[in-house]
Amino acid sequence: MDGYPLLNLFWTMLEVFLFVLWFFLLFKVIGDIFRDHAMGGWGKAGWLVFVILLPYLGVLVYLIARGSSMGERDREQARKSEAAFRAYVQEAAGQQPTDGQQPTQADELAKLARLRSDGTLTEDEFQQAKAKLLA
């Protein structure tokens, strides 16, 4: 370690961290350019050329000009992903989506009736489940 002082090690670590952070930001901006449905093809091409040819200035200008709408698109994408996940879980569990609410007693009775009509439950099993639900 005689030829490489501790301060230089910290400086190198900082440079590597900033380099990784820069690439993360660059890919985030490029992803946002393609994700924006309100922007036309020529607008996307223009921003992409600007970001690729002058990366530091292009990313900085993009964040200043479109940073707030970038956050809105991130939130909208998160809401869509959450809704799709909830719908998948409800479908896998065999429930109908109820907008995040607990199924009501009427929903459970309708589900039991559907299972009885499908032949999954016998009449006796249906009556037992119905009595248990109404108790």
Side-chain angles (χ1 to χ4, degrees):
M1 290 284 288
D2 290 335
Y4 203 69
L6 187 61
L7 186 59
N8 285 353
L9 177 68
F10 288 137
W11 183 253
T12 302
M13 289 173 54
L14 179 66
E15 287 175 341
V16 168
F17 173 74
L18 291 175
F19 187 70
V20 170
L21 182 67
W22 164 249
F23 271 104
F24 174 77
L25 185 60
L26 180 67
F27 289 129
K28 184 81 170 158
V29 166
I30 290 173
D32 187 67
I33 289 171
F34 286 110
R35 187 176 50 194
D36 187 7
H37 298 294
M39 190 185 319
W42 285 107
K44 289 179 183 185
W47 275 113
L48 194 60
V49 166
F50 187 42
V51 166
I52 289 174
L53 292 181
L54 300 170
Y56 293 109
L57 182 63
V59 168
L60 182 64
V61 170
Y62 186 85
L63 289 176
I64 292 170
R66 302 183 51 85
S68 62
S69 61
M70 188 174 171
E72 291 169 8
R73 282 186 292 281
D74 278 343
R75 283 189 294 277
E76 182 62 29
Q77 180 67 30
R79 273 193 292 271
K80 286 180 181 178
S81 295
E82 178 70 21
F85 175 73
R86 286 182 185 271
Y88 170 74
V89 168
Q90 288 176 342
E91 178 186 331
Q95 298 176 353
Q96 296 297 325
T98 57
D99 296 332
Q101 300 173 356
Q102 294 290 340
T104 63
Q105 198 173 36
D107 293 335
E108 294 295 328
L109 284 172
K111 183 178 174 183
L112 285 174
R114 189 173 52 249
L115 290 173
R116 180 183 61 178
S117 67
D118 291 345
T120 306
L121 292 178
T122 64
E123 184 63 34
D124 291 334
E125 291 171 333
F126 171 75
Q127 292 300 332
Q128 288 174 356
K130 180 179 160 185
K132 185 178 178 182
L133 182 65
L134 294 175

PDB file of all heavy atoms in Angstrom, residues 55-86:
ATOM      1  N   PRO A  55     -24.130  13.413 -23.760  1.00  0.00           N
ATOM      2  CA  PRO A  55     -24.795  12.699 -22.668  1.00  0.00           C
ATOM      3  C   PRO A  55     -24.985  13.513 -21.385  1.00  0.00           C
ATOM      4  O   PRO A  55     -26.079  13.523 -20.830  1.00  0.00           O
ATOM      5  CB  PRO A  55     -23.911  11.478 -22.427  1.00  0.00           C
ATOM      6  CG  PRO A  55     -22.654  11.716 -23.137  1.00  0.00           C
ATOM      7  CD  PRO A  55     -22.909  12.744 -24.181  1.00  0.00           C
ATOM      8  N   TYR A  56     -23.959  14.202 -20.917  1.00  0.00           N
ATOM      9  CA  TYR A  56     -24.105  14.936 -19.656  1.00  0.00           C
ATOM     10  C   TYR A  56     -25.102  16.082 -19.807  1.00  0.00           C
ATOM     11  O   TYR A  56     -26.022  16.236 -19.000  1.00  0.00           O
ATOM     12  CB  TYR A  56     -22.753  15.474 -19.182  1.00  0.00           C
ATOM     13  CG  TYR A  56     -21.806  14.371 -18.780  1.00  0.00           C
ATOM     14  CD1 TYR A  56     -20.701  14.065 -19.547  1.00  0.00           C
ATOM     15  CD2 TYR A  56     -22.036  13.631 -17.633  1.00  0.00           C
ATOM     16  CE1 TYR A  56     -19.838  13.056 -19.183  1.00  0.00           C
ATOM     17  CE2 TYR A  56     -21.186  12.614 -17.251  1.00  0.00           C
ATOM     18  CZ  TYR A  56     -20.084  12.322 -18.038  1.00  0.00           C
ATOM     19  OH  TYR A  56     -19.241  11.319 -17.681  1.00  0.00           O
ATOM     20  N   LEU A  57     -24.933  16.873 -20.842  1.00  0.00           N
ATOM     21  CA  LEU A  57     -25.830  17.997 -21.075  1.00  0.00           C
ATOM     22  C   LEU A  57     -27.234  17.502 -21.421  1.00  0.00           C
ATOM     23  O   LEU A  57     -28.229  18.040 -20.935  1.00  0.00           O
ATOM     24  CB  LEU A  57     -25.283  18.881 -22.202  1.00  0.00           C
ATOM     25  CG  LEU A  57     -26.103  20.134 -22.527  1.00  0.00           C
ATOM     26  CD1 LEU A  57     -26.120  21.067 -21.325  1.00  0.00           C
ATOM     27  CD2 LEU A  57     -25.519  20.827 -23.737  1.00  0.00           C
ATOM     28  N   GLY A  58     -27.329  16.457 -22.250  1.00  0.00           N
ATOM     29  CA  GLY A  58     -28.626  15.928 -22.648  1.00  0.00           C
ATOM     30  C   GLY A  58     -29.440  15.412 -21.477  1.00  0.00           C
ATOM     31  O   GLY A  58     -30.631  15.700 -21.347  1.00  0.00           O
ATOM     32  N   VAL A  59     -28.807  14.661 -20.587  1.00  0.00           N
ATOM     33  CA  VAL A  59     -29.508  14.138 -19.412  1.00  0.00           C
ATOM     34  C   VAL A  59     -29.908  15.277 -18.486  1.00  0.00           C
ATOM     35  O   VAL A  59     -31.027  15.308 -17.963  1.00  0.00           O
ATOM     36  CB  VAL A  59     -28.643  13.082 -18.685  1.00  0.00           C
ATOM     37  CG1 VAL A  59     -29.212  12.755 -17.321  1.00  0.00           C
ATOM     38  CG2 VAL A  59     -28.541  11.824 -19.511  1.00  0.00           C
ATOM     39  N   LEU A  60     -29.020  16.225 -18.285  1.00  0.00           N
ATOM     40  CA  LEU A  60     -29.325  17.358 -17.413  1.00  0.00           C
ATOM     41  C   LEU A  60     -30.511  18.162 -17.961  1.00  0.00           C
ATOM     42  O   LEU A  60     -31.443  18.499 -17.221  1.00  0.00           O
ATOM     43  CB  LEU A  60     -28.089  18.249 -17.263  1.00  0.00           C
ATOM     44  CG  LEU A  60     -28.255  19.443 -16.330  1.00  0.00           C
ATOM     45  CD1 LEU A  60     -28.516  18.977 -14.909  1.00  0.00           C
ATOM     46  CD2 LEU A  60     -27.014  20.320 -16.375  1.00  0.00           C
ATOM     47  N   VAL A  61     -30.497  18.457 -19.245  1.00  0.00           N
ATOM     48  CA  VAL A  61     -31.593  19.216 -19.850  1.00  0.00           C
ATOM     49  C   VAL A  61     -32.888  18.406 -19.806  1.00  0.00           C
ATOM     50  O   VAL A  61     -33.964  18.944 -19.522  1.00  0.00           O
ATOM     51  CB  VAL A  61     -31.237  19.626 -21.302  1.00  0.00           C
ATOM     52  CG1 VAL A  61     -32.436  20.187 -22.037  1.00  0.00           C
ATOM     53  CG2 VAL A  61     -30.104  20.629 -21.286  1.00  0.00           C
ATOM     54  N   TYR A  62     -32.815  17.097 -20.042  1.00  0.00           N
ATOM     55  CA  TYR A  62     -34.007  16.249 -19.992  1.00  0.00           C
ATOM     56  C   TYR A  62     -34.607  16.261 -18.592  1.00  0.00           C
ATOM     57  O   TYR A  62     -35.819  16.366 -18.437  1.00  0.00           O
ATOM     58  CB  TYR A  62     -33.670  14.813 -20.406  1.00  0.00           C
ATOM     59  CG  TYR A  62     -34.892  13.940 -20.517  1.00  0.00           C
ATOM     60  CD1 TYR A  62     -35.634  13.909 -21.688  1.00  0.00           C
ATOM     61  CD2 TYR A  62     -35.319  13.156 -19.458  1.00  0.00           C
ATOM     62  CE1 TYR A  62     -36.763  13.120 -21.797  1.00  0.00           C
ATOM     63  CE2 TYR A  62     -36.452  12.368 -19.555  1.00  0.00           C
ATOM     64  CZ  TYR A  62     -37.166  12.349 -20.720  1.00  0.00           C
ATOM     65  OH  TYR A  62     -38.293  11.575 -20.824  1.00  0.00           O
ATOM     66  N   LEU A  63     -33.765  16.156 -17.570  1.00  0.00           N
ATOM     67  CA  LEU A  63     -34.275  16.155 -16.198  1.00  0.00           C
ATOM     68  C   LEU A  63     -34.901  17.493 -15.836  1.00  0.00           C
ATOM     69  O   LEU A  63     -35.908  17.539 -15.118  1.00  0.00           O
ATOM     70  CB  LEU A  63     -33.157  15.808 -15.218  1.00  0.00           C
ATOM     71  CG  LEU A  63     -32.683  14.369 -15.250  1.00  0.00           C
ATOM     72  CD1 LEU A  63     -31.504  14.173 -14.311  1.00  0.00           C
ATOM     73  CD2 LEU A  63     -33.813  13.428 -14.895  1.00  0.00           C
ATOM     74  N   ILE A  64     -34.329  18.588 -16.322  1.00  0.00           N
ATOM     75  CA  ILE A  64     -34.903  19.904 -16.044  1.00  0.00           C
ATOM     76  C   ILE A  64     -36.224  20.075 -16.786  1.00  0.00           C
ATOM     77  O   ILE A  64     -37.216  20.538 -16.219  1.00  0.00           O
ATOM     78  CB  ILE A  64     -33.908  21.019 -16.417  1.00  0.00           C
ATOM     79  CG1 ILE A  64     -32.712  20.990 -15.459  1.00  0.00           C
ATOM     80  CG2 ILE A  64     -34.586  22.384 -16.402  1.00  0.00           C
ATOM     81  CD1 ILE A  64     -31.562  21.884 -15.871  1.00  0.00           C
ATOM     82  N   ALA A  65     -36.247  19.701 -18.044  1.00  0.00           N
ATOM     83  CA  ALA A  65     -37.429  19.933 -18.880  1.00  0.00           C
ATOM     84  C   ALA A  65     -38.568  18.948 -18.584  1.00  0.00           C
ATOM     85  O   ALA A  65     -39.734  19.332 -18.611  1.00  0.00           O
ATOM     86  CB  ALA A  65     -37.045  19.841 -20.359  1.00  0.00           C
ATOM     87  N   ARG A  66     -38.236  17.691 -18.318  1.00  0.00           N
ATOM     88  CA  ARG A  66     -39.287  16.671 -18.225  1.00  0.00           C
ATOM     89  C   ARG A  66     -39.212  15.855 -16.940  1.00  0.00           C
ATOM     90  O   ARG A  66     -39.791  14.785 -16.834  1.00  0.00           O
ATOM     91  CB  ARG A  66     -39.195  15.738 -19.428  1.00  0.00           C
ATOM     92  CG  ARG A  66     -39.326  16.494 -20.750  1.00  0.00           C
ATOM     93  CD  ARG A  66     -39.312  15.607 -21.934  1.00  0.00           C
ATOM     94  NE  ARG A  66     -40.245  14.510 -21.860  1.00  0.00           N
ATOM     95  CZ  ARG A  66     -41.536  14.576 -22.201  1.00  0.00           C
ATOM     96  NH1 ARG A  66     -42.032  15.702 -22.631  1.00  0.00           N
ATOM     97  NH2 ARG A  66     -42.299  13.516 -22.115  1.00  0.00           N
ATOM     98  N   GLY A  67     -38.511  16.347 -15.935  1.00  0.00           N
ATOM     99  CA  GLY A  67     -38.324  15.601 -14.695  1.00  0.00           C
ATOM    100  C   GLY A  67     -39.607  15.330 -13.936  1.00  0.00           C
ATOM    101  O   GLY A  67     -39.814  14.242 -13.408  1.00  0.00           O
ATOM    102  N   SER A  68     -40.492  16.326 -13.864  1.00  0.00           N
ATOM    103  CA  SER A  68     -41.733  16.125 -13.103  1.00  0.00           C
ATOM    104  C   SER A  68     -42.649  15.112 -13.791  1.00  0.00           C
ATOM    105  O   SER A  68     -43.252  14.263 -13.132  1.00  0.00           O
ATOM    106  CB  SER A  68     -42.464  17.454 -12.915  1.00  0.00           C
ATOM    107  OG  SER A  68     -42.834  17.987 -14.174  1.00  0.00           O
ATOM    108  N   SER A  69     -42.737  15.180 -15.111  1.00  0.00           N
ATOM    109  CA  SER A  69     -43.574  14.197 -15.807  1.00  0.00           C
ATOM    110  C   SER A  69     -42.936  12.812 -15.772  1.00  0.00           C
ATOM    111  O   SER A  69     -43.629  11.802 -15.841  1.00  0.00           O
ATOM    112  CB  SER A  69     -43.834  14.628 -17.253  1.00  0.00           C
ATOM    113  OG  SER A  69     -42.618  14.729 -17.969  1.00  0.00           O
ATOM    114  N   MET A  70     -41.616  12.764 -15.626  1.00  0.00           N
ATOM    115  CA  MET A  70     -40.918  11.491 -15.482  1.00  0.00           C
ATOM    116  C   MET A  70     -41.362  10.814 -14.186  1.00  0.00           C
ATOM    117  O   MET A  70     -41.626   9.604 -14.165  1.00  0.00           O
ATOM    118  CB  MET A  70     -39.414  11.751 -15.470  1.00  0.00           C
ATOM    119  CG  MET A  70     -38.536  10.560 -15.514  1.00  0.00           C
ATOM    120  SD  MET A  70     -36.824  11.149 -15.662  1.00  0.00           S
ATOM    121  CE  MET A  70     -35.958   9.645 -15.432  1.00  0.00           C
ATOM    122  N   GLY A  71     -41.477  11.562 -13.120  1.00  0.00           N
ATOM    123  CA  GLY A  71     -41.959  11.028 -11.847  1.00  0.00           C
ATOM    124  C   GLY A  71     -43.398  10.559 -11.933  1.00  0.00           C
ATOM    125  O   GLY A  71     -43.766   9.530 -11.352  1.00  0.00           O
ATOM    126  N   GLU A  72     -44.231  11.313 -12.645  1.00  0.00           N
ATOM    127  CA  GLU A  72     -45.635  10.911 -12.811  1.00  0.00           C
ATOM    128  C   GLU A  72     -45.739   9.599 -13.575  1.00  0.00           C
ATOM    129  O   GLU A  72     -46.555   8.743 -13.240  1.00  0.00           O
ATOM    130  CB  GLU A  72     -46.404  12.007 -13.547  1.00  0.00           C
ATOM    131  CG  GLU A  72     -46.580  13.273 -12.739  1.00  0.00           C
ATOM    132  CD  GLU A  72     -47.108  14.427 -13.565  1.00  0.00           C
ATOM    133  OE1 GLU A  72     -47.487  14.207 -14.738  1.00  0.00           O
ATOM    134  OE2 GLU A  72     -47.145  15.547 -13.028  1.00  0.00           O
ATOM    135  N   ARG A  73     -44.914   9.427 -14.602  1.00  0.00           N
ATOM    136  CA  ARG A  73     -44.934   8.167 -15.354  1.00  0.00           C
ATOM    137  C   ARG A  73     -44.458   6.998 -14.485  1.00  0.00           C
ATOM    138  O   ARG A  73     -44.979   5.892 -14.585  1.00  0.00           O
ATOM    139  CB  ARG A  73     -44.083   8.283 -16.616  1.00  0.00           C
ATOM    140  CG  ARG A  73     -44.799   9.034 -17.728  1.00  0.00           C
ATOM    141  CD  ARG A  73     -44.007   9.008 -19.019  1.00  0.00           C
ATOM    142  NE  ARG A  73     -42.761   9.770 -18.940  1.00  0.00           N
ATOM    143  CZ  ARG A  73     -42.687  11.097 -19.042  1.00  0.00           C
ATOM    144  NH1 ARG A  73     -43.781  11.808 -19.225  1.00  0.00           N
ATOM    145  NH2 ARG A  73     -41.516  11.710 -18.973  1.00  0.00           N
ATOM    146  N   ASP A  74     -43.494   7.251 -13.615  1.00  0.00           N
ATOM    147  CA  ASP A  74     -43.034   6.204 -12.695  1.00  0.00           C
ATOM    148  C   ASP A  74     -44.153   5.791 -11.737  1.00  0.00           C
ATOM    149  O   ASP A  74     -44.374   4.607 -11.495  1.00  0.00           O
ATOM    150  CB  ASP A  74     -41.829   6.673 -11.887  1.00  0.00           C
ATOM    151  CG  ASP A  74     -40.527   6.551 -12.638  1.00  0.00           C
ATOM    152  OD1 ASP A  74     -40.485   5.811 -13.645  1.00  0.00           O
ATOM    153  OD2 ASP A  74     -39.546   7.197 -12.217  1.00  0.00           O
ATOM    154  N   ARG A  75     -44.858   6.785 -11.197  1.00  0.00           N
ATOM    155  CA  ARG A  75     -45.965   6.477 -10.276  1.00  0.00           C
ATOM    156  C   ARG A  75     -47.085   5.737 -10.996  1.00  0.00           C
ATOM    157  O   ARG A  75     -47.655   4.782 -10.464  1.00  0.00           O
ATOM    158  CB  ARG A  75     -46.487   7.768  -9.643  1.00  0.00           C
ATOM    159  CG  ARG A  75     -45.590   8.291  -8.537  1.00  0.00           C
ATOM    160  CD  ARG A  75     -46.228   9.442  -7.794  1.00  0.00           C
ATOM    161  NE  ARG A  75     -46.405  10.629  -8.616  1.00  0.00           N
ATOM    162  CZ  ARG A  75     -45.460  11.532  -8.848  1.00  0.00           C
ATOM    163  NH1 ARG A  75     -44.266  11.382  -8.329  1.00  0.00           N
ATOM    164  NH2 ARG A  75     -45.707  12.589  -9.594  1.00  0.00           N
ATOM    165  N   GLU A  76     -47.412   6.143 -12.207  1.00  0.00           N
ATOM    166  CA  GLU A  76     -48.473   5.474 -12.978  1.00  0.00           C
ATOM    167  C   GLU A  76     -48.073   4.026 -13.290  1.00  0.00           C
ATOM    168  O   GLU A  76     -48.893   3.113 -13.191  1.00  0.00           O
ATOM    169  CB  GLU A  76     -48.753   6.235 -14.271  1.00  0.00           C
ATOM    170  CG  GLU A  76     -49.858   5.639 -15.109  1.00  0.00           C
ATOM    171  CD  GLU A  76     -51.208   5.625 -14.413  1.00  0.00           C
ATOM    172  OE1 GLU A  76     -51.464   6.509 -13.565  1.00  0.00           O
ATOM    173  OE2 GLU A  76     -52.004   4.714 -14.702  1.00  0.00           O
ATOM    174  N   GLN A  77     -46.815   3.808 -13.647  1.00  0.00           N
ATOM    175  CA  GLN A  77     -46.337   2.455 -13.917  1.00  0.00           C
ATOM    176  C   GLN A  77     -46.408   1.599 -12.649  1.00  0.00           C
ATOM    177  O   GLN A  77     -46.784   0.426 -12.710  1.00  0.00           O
ATOM    178  CB  GLN A  77     -44.897   2.495 -14.442  1.00  0.00           C
ATOM    179  CG  GLN A  77     -44.322   1.142 -14.760  1.00  0.00           C
ATOM    180  CD  GLN A  77     -45.015   0.475 -15.926  1.00  0.00           C
ATOM    181  OE1 GLN A  77     -45.509   1.147 -16.824  1.00  0.00           O
ATOM    182  NE2 GLN A  77     -45.074  -0.835 -15.913  1.00  0.00           N
ATOM    183  N   ALA A  78     -46.073   2.187 -11.503  1.00  0.00           N
ATOM    184  CA  ALA A  78     -46.155   1.442 -10.237  1.00  0.00           C
ATOM    185  C   ALA A  78     -47.600   1.093  -9.914  1.00  0.00           C
ATOM    186  O   ALA A  78     -47.884  -0.023  -9.447  1.00  0.00           O
ATOM    187  CB  ALA A  78     -45.532   2.264  -9.106  1.00  0.00           C
ATOM    188  N   ARG A  79     -48.535   2.015 -10.166  1.00  0.00           N
ATOM    189  CA  ARG A  79     -49.961   1.732  -9.915  1.00  0.00           C
ATOM    190  C   ARG A  79     -50.455   0.611 -10.828  1.00  0.00           C
ATOM    191  O   ARG A  79     -51.179  -0.285 -10.391  1.00  0.00           O
ATOM    192  CB  ARG A  79     -50.791   2.993 -10.150  1.00  0.00           C
ATOM    193  CG  ARG A  79     -50.908   3.883  -8.937  1.00  0.00           C
ATOM    194  CD  ARG A  79     -51.998   4.930  -9.127  1.00  0.00           C
ATOM    195  NE  ARG A  79     -51.659   5.910 -10.143  1.00  0.00           N
ATOM    196  CZ  ARG A  79     -50.999   7.034  -9.924  1.00  0.00           C
ATOM    197  NH1 ARG A  79     -50.595   7.325  -8.710  1.00  0.00           N
ATOM    198  NH2 ARG A  79     -50.738   7.868 -10.896  1.00  0.00           N
ATOM    199  N   LYS A  80     -50.055   0.648 -12.085  1.00  0.00           N
ATOM    200  CA  LYS A  80     -50.473  -0.403 -13.016  1.00  0.00           C
ATOM    201  C   LYS A  80     -49.898  -1.759 -12.614  1.00  0.00           C
ATOM    202  O   LYS A  80     -50.593  -2.777 -12.683  1.00  0.00           O
ATOM    203  CB  LYS A  80     -50.046  -0.060 -14.443  1.00  0.00           C
ATOM    204  CG  LYS A  80     -50.865   1.027 -15.079  1.00  0.00           C
ATOM    205  CD  LYS A  80     -50.379   1.319 -16.491  1.00  0.00           C
ATOM    206  CE  LYS A  80     -51.178   2.429 -17.124  1.00  0.00           C
ATOM    207  NZ  LYS A  80     -50.684   2.742 -18.481  1.00  0.00           N
ATOM    208  N   SER A  81     -48.651  -1.772 -12.199  1.00  0.00           N
ATOM    209  CA  SER A  81     -48.030  -3.030 -11.770  1.00  0.00           C
ATOM    210  C   SER A  81     -48.722  -3.578 -10.531  1.00  0.00           C
ATOM    211  O   SER A  81     -48.960  -4.784 -10.425  1.00  0.00           O
ATOM    212  CB  SER A  81     -46.542  -2.816 -11.476  1.00  0.00           C
ATOM    213  OG  SER A  81     -45.857  -2.471 -12.641  1.00  0.00           O
ATOM    214  N   GLU A  82     -49.048  -2.703  -9.594  1.00  0.00           N
ATOM    215  CA  GLU A  82     -49.736  -3.132  -8.367  1.00  0.00           C
ATOM    216  C   GLU A  82     -51.123  -3.678  -8.690  1.00  0.00           C
ATOM    217  O   GLU A  82     -51.536  -4.713  -8.157  1.00  0.00           O
ATOM    218  CB  GLU A  82     -49.844  -1.959  -7.387  1.00  0.00           C
ATOM    219  CG  GLU A  82     -50.575  -2.275  -6.113  1.00  0.00           C
ATOM    220  CD  GLU A  82     -49.818  -3.206  -5.190  1.00  0.00           C
ATOM    221  OE1 GLU A  82     -48.585  -3.302  -5.327  1.00  0.00           O
ATOM    222  OE2 GLU A  82     -50.459  -3.846  -4.341  1.00  0.00           O
ATOM    223  N   ALA A  83     -51.856  -3.008  -9.573  1.00  0.00           N
ATOM    224  CA  ALA A  83     -53.192  -3.478  -9.952  1.00  0.00           C
ATOM    225  C   ALA A  83     -53.110  -4.821 -10.675  1.00  0.00           C
ATOM    226  O   ALA A  83     -53.928  -5.715 -10.428  1.00  0.00           O
ATOM    227  CB  ALA A  83     -53.883  -2.442 -10.831  1.00  0.00           C
ATOM    228  N   ALA A  84     -52.127  -4.977 -11.546  1.00  0.00           N
ATOM    229  CA  ALA A  84     -51.967  -6.250 -12.257  1.00  0.00           C
ATOM    230  C   ALA A  84     -51.604  -7.366 -11.285  1.00  0.00           C
ATOM    231  O   ALA A  84     -52.111  -8.488 -11.398  1.00  0.00           O
ATOM    232  CB  ALA A  84     -50.894  -6.122 -13.336  1.00  0.00           C
ATOM    233  N   PHE A  85     -50.764  -7.065 -10.309  1.00  0.00           N
ATOM    234  CA  PHE A  85     -50.388  -8.068  -9.308  1.00  0.00           C
ATOM    235  C   PHE A  85     -51.598  -8.479  -8.476  1.00  0.00           C
ATOM    236  O   PHE A  85     -51.834  -9.663  -8.239  1.00  0.00           O
ATOM    237  CB  PHE A  85     -49.277  -7.532  -8.412  1.00  0.00           C
ATOM    238  CG  PHE A  85     -48.917  -8.455  -7.287  1.00  0.00           C
ATOM    239  CD1 PHE A  85     -48.204  -9.617  -7.537  1.00  0.00           C
ATOM    240  CD2 PHE A  85     -49.297  -8.168  -5.991  1.00  0.00           C
ATOM    241  CE1 PHE A  85     -47.877 -10.475  -6.506  1.00  0.00           C
ATOM    242  CE2 PHE A  85     -48.972  -9.024  -4.959  1.00  0.00           C
ATOM    243  CZ  PHE A  85     -48.265 -10.179  -5.209  1.00  0.00           C
ATOM    244  N   ARG A  86     -52.376  -7.487  -8.031  1.00  0.00           N
ATOM    245  CA  ARG A  86     -53.576  -7.805  -7.233  1.00  0.00           C
ATOM    246  C   ARG A  86     -54.566  -8.641  -8.044  1.00  0.00           C
ATOM    247  O   ARG A  86     -55.152  -9.586  -7.528  1.00  0.00           O
ATOM    248  CB  ARG A  86     -54.245  -6.526  -6.753  1.00  0.00           C
ATOM    249  CG  ARG A  86     -53.521  -5.838  -5.638  1.00  0.00           C
ATOM    250  CD  ARG A  86     -54.290  -4.589  -5.191  1.00  0.00           C
ATOM    251  NE  ARG A  86     -53.560  -3.866  -4.212  1.00  0.00           N
ATOM    252  CZ  ARG A  86     -53.643  -4.077  -2.902  1.00  0.00           C
ATOM    253  NH1 ARG A  86     -54.449  -5.013  -2.469  1.00  0.00           N
ATOM    254  NH2 ARG A  86     -52.941  -3.366  -2.062  1.00  0.00           N
TER     255      ARG A  86
END
